[in-house]
């Protein structure tokens, strides 16, 4: 019995001694995971084809003064005076402003592929042209007006006469998307528009069509069609 008790006491003492020992080795450190590389940021313009355009923290706009707009306007719409010289400005994120160049254009501003796309007139009676970001290397495009910018596809959508036209900014190549239609909008690389069915006899409205096409002119689709008697004119009258 005494021998058994002695054995148990010895085992207990050995256990206590082992617990009280300190180890010099530091605990194994777990390496922090290496953060994955941030995806490349692609600059996307805000309000492209508007009277001002935001890009990379800067805001681009034309500086108008009193001599650049008509003295009177209907419903508060004061048209630009054709041919007056205005300054193209940039306001930086810190609030400072800079004059980039001067020209006689008016109306919407588009920025695509490092170039301005502008109009000589405020509405559809002007000419669409392009310059670099300093106002140099001007390229004349066609008579018409700017509608929208497909930044992902690098294309500018315009109206020229009765045509919807797409301009490939890389080389200036143009393609007619549709003719005799009403532009509705641009979304997801597709241009949406409406038109009257060819059965319209000029006196009665035929079916109205809602269609879309890719900005490169491919994959035209008819999305919806109204009934010919939508306006109270039966198809057989």
């Amino acid at each position: 019995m005494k021998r058994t008790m002695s054995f148990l006491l010895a085992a207990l003492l050995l256990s206590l001694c082992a617990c009280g020992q300190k180890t010099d080795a530091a605990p194994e450190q777990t390496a922090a995971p290496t953060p994955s590389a941030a995806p490349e940021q692609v600059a996307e313009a805000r309000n492209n084809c508007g009277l001002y355009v935001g890009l990379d923290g800067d805001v681009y706009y034309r500086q108008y003064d009193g001599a650049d707009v008509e003295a009177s306007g209907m419903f508060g719409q004061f048209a630009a005076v054709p041919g007056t010289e205005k300054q193209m400005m940039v306001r930086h994120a810190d609030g400072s402003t800079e004059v980039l160049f001067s020209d006689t254009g008016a109306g919407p501003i588009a920025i695509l592929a490092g170039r301005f796309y502008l109009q000589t007139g405020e509405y559809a009676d002007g000419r669409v042209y392009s310059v670099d970001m300093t106002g140099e290397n001007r390229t004349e495009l066609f008579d018409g007006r700017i509608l929208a910018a497909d930044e992902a596809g690098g294309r500018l959508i315009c109206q020229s006469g009765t045509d919807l036209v797409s301009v490939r900014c890389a080389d200036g190549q143009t393609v007619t998307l549709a003719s005799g239609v009403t532009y509705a909008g641009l979304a997801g690389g597709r241009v949406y528009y409406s038109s009257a069915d060819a059965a319209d006899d000029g006196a009665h409205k035929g079916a109205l069509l809602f269609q879309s096409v890719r900005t490169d002119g491919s994959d035209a689709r008819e999305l919806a069609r109204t009934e010919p008697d939508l306006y109270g004119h039966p198809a057989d009258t």
Side-chain angles (χ1 to χ4, degrees):
M1 182 67 177
K2 289 182 179 180
R3 183 177 297 178
T4 302
M5 292 294 295
S6 298
F7 176 79
L8 292 174
L9 287 172
L12 179 60
L13 288 172
L14 287 173
S15 176
L16 291 173
C17 290
C19 292
Q21 289 178 349
K22 295 182 179 179
T23 58
D24 295 330
E28 183 180 355
Q29 298 292 324
T30 302
T34 302
S36 58
E40 182 181 356
Q41 296 295 317
V42 178
E44 182 176 348
R46 293 179 292 106
N47 200 50
N48 219 350
C49 303
L51 296 180
Y52 67 89
V53 178
L55 183 64
D56 288 335
D58 295 329
V59 178
Y60 298 84
Y61 60 97
R62 277 196 178 94
Q63 182 70 61
Y64 290 80
D65 61 30
D68 297 328
V69 295
E70 299 287 355
S72 61
M74 183 176 293
F75 302 121
Q77 299 295 319
F78 296 86
V81 176
T84 62
E85 187 170 282
K86 295 167 283 293
Q87 294 176 326
M88 183 66 75
M89 307 288 295
V90 56
R91 177 179 291 275
H92 300 294
D94 62 3
S96 61
T97 59
E98 178 184 355
V99 178
L100 297 178
F101 58 89
S102 297
D103 78 352
T104 58
I109 299 167
I111 300 178
L112 280 166
R115 291 181 66 84
F116 284 106
Y117 289 83
L118 307 167
Q119 296 177 192
T120 58
E122 190 172 15
Y123 302 108
D125 56 352
R127 187 164 182 82
V128 179
Y129 64 98
S130 173
V131 296
D132 64 24
M133 299 299 284
T134 64
E136 302 294 328
N137 301 310
R138 178 164 172 156
T139 300
E140 299 289 336
L141 295 176
F142 41 72
D143 292 336
R145 64 189 181 106
I146 295 169
L147 296 175
D150 175 16
E151 296 180 51
R155 288 181 174 272
L156 185 73
I157 309 303
C158 302
Q159 178 181 338
S160 181
T162 61
D163 297 337
L164 287 183
V165 178
S166 172
V167 182
R168 187 166 63 188
C169 299
D171 56 12
Q173 182 189 57
T174 63
V175 59
T176 299
L177 302 178
S179 298
V181 300
T182 301
Y183 173 76
L186 169 68
R190 300 189 67 86
V191 176
Y192 293 83
Y193 54 92
S194 62
S195 64
D197 189 278
D200 185 356
D201 63 3
H204 296 152
K205 285 290 185 182
L208 297 180
L209 309 180
F210 187 57
Q211 300 162 283
S212 75
V213 63
R214 293 189 183 277
T215 56
D216 63 1
S218 65
D219 191 25
R221 302 178 186 178
E222 181 180 311
L223 304 177
R225 176 188 292 261
T226 67
E227 294 299 324
D229 60 352
L230 178 66
Y231 297 97
H233 301 292
D236 58 354
T237 59

